[in-house]
């Protein structure tokens, strides 16, 4: 803590090893999910976190994080090939070696920055605003390192404005999420009836389908506490 406890800094380092890791593989030609033993994975990184609450601005808080994270399969030598994966792209006898490849949805760099401010506007009412942003570098949403699944780097922003009673009996808030309206893929797998030539020299990758986060949303919220 610095500046008479107005600034707090945390620095953390970590390393996790997962053994007997299970991942789900979608076998698109037969339209079936199969649970695969992925062996082991190692995740390691460093995170810096700060929080600043200056006494000169009562009710104001500024916070943020920066994280470097490296998540890789340590032992996944017999991973199934994705649909349409060719020999040149690593598919031999319908298996591929993903040892050393990134795990799903694991960006190397993420960061966040947010602020919150509350102030009384009368004897019984309090007004508050907040904003939070998140940065992510690119990553592969696919658990099988599919190159066509790559999610590009992005910044998303959430914000809110609210009025509440000083005893927190009720609160009226306007909440905005993903205000930058970014298309963010959180998971991906092969689309049925696409791709061809798996394990051959003329393989054509399958299209990718999956899950995404919600687009821009704005919500009016009333909270009543009894």
């Amino acid at each position: 803590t610095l500046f008479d406890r107005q600034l707090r800094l945390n620095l953390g380092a970590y390393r996790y090893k997962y053994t007997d890791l299970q991942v789900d593989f979608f076998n698109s030609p037969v339209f079936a999910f199969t649970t695969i033993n992925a062996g082991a994975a190692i995740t390691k990184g460093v995170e810096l976190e700060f929080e600043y609450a200056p006494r000169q601005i009562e009710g104001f808080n500024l916070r943020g994080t920066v994280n470097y994270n490296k998540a890789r399969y340590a032992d996944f030598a017999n991973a199934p090939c994705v649909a349409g994966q060719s020999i040149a792209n690593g598919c031999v006898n319908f298996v591929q070696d993903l040892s050393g490849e990134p795990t799903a949805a694991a960006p190397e760099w993420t960061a966040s920055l947010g602020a919150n401010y509350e102030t009384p506007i009368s004897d019984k009412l309090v007004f508050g605003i907040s904003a939070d942003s998140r940065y992510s570098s690119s990553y592969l949403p696919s658990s099988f390192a599919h190159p066509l699944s790559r999610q590009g780097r992005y910044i998303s922003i959430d914000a809110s404005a609210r009025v509440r009673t000083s005893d927190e009996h009720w609160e009226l808030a306007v909440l905005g999420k993903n205000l930058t309206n970014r298309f963010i893929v959180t998971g991906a797998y092969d689309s049925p009836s696409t791709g061809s030539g798996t394990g051959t020299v003329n393989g054509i990758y399958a299209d990718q389908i999956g899950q995404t986060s919600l687009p821009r949303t704005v919500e009016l919220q009333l909270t009543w506490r009894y």
Side-chain angles (χ1 to χ4, degrees):
T1 56
L2 300 170
F3 307 121
D4 194 21
R5 303 178 69 84
Q6 296 179 93
L7 175 64
R8 177 175 59 84
L9 297 173
N10 287 329
L11 179 65
Y14 56 88
R15 184 183 188 275
Y16 300 101
K17 182 176 182 179
Y18 301 89
T19 57
D20 298 323
L21 181 67
Q22 306 291 301
V23 296
D24 288 329
F25 174 71
F26 181 62
N27 191 340
S28 61
V30 299
F31 208 87
F33 280 97
T34 305
T35 300
I36 304 295
N37 190 330
I42 295 176
T43 299
K44 54 187 176 181
V46 178
E47 182 173 49
L48 174 65
E49 175 189 19
F50 83 90
E51 185 174 9
Y52 180 52
R55 295 191 183 94
Q56 295 88 343
I57 310 177
E58 186 176 354
F60 177 74
N61 176 279
L62 181 68
R63 56 197 176 272
T65 62
V66 176
N67 175 240
Y68 173 76
N69 179 76
K70 186 174 183 180
R72 299 289 187 270
Y73 291 114
D75 180 18
F76 200 4
N78 295 310
C81 297
V82 297
Q85 185 175 0
S86 67
I87 294 175
N89 289 321
C91 181
V92 180
N93 296 324
F94 298 101
V95 296
Q96 59 174 323
D97 186 359
L98 291 179
S99 303
E101 294 296 323
T103 59
E108 288 195 348
W109 288 98
T110 57
S112 66
L113 183 63
N116 182 73
Y117 178 65
E118 281 194 343
T119 185
I121 54 176
S122 73
D123 293 340
K124 296 182 178 180
L125 295 178
V126 177
F127 173 74
I129 55 173
S130 64
D132 290 279
S133 62
R134 183 178 187 275
Y135 166 80
S136 172
S137 62
S138 65
Y139 59 86
L140 295 174
S142 166
S143 297
F144 299 89
H146 199 305
L148 299 185
S149 73
R150 181 170 294 279
Q151 165 67 51
R153 61 184 181 179
Y154 66 86
I155 295 176
S156 64
I157 298 175
D158 300 339
S160 69
R162 57 198 178 274
V163 176
R164 64 173 177 85
T165 56
S166 55
D167 61 1
E168 299 186 355
H169 185 55
W170 63 262
E171 179 182 86
L172 182 65
V174 178
L175 310 174
K177 298 181 179 180
N178 192 13
L179 295 177
T180 45
N181 203 29
R182 293 302 307 267
F183 185 85
I184 303 170
V185 181
T186 57
Y189 48 90
D190 296 332
S191 175
S193 304
T194 64
S196 62
T198 306
T200 69
V201 296
N202 297 315
I204 299 175
Y205 276 125
D207 297 336
Q208 294 295 285
I209 58 176
Q211 303 81 38
T212 65
S213 62
L214 291 173
R216 180 191 298 120
T217 60
V218 179
E219 174 184 343
L220 181 64
Q221 175 179 283
L222 174 63
T223 304
W224 188 276
R225 297 180 177 90
Y226 294 95

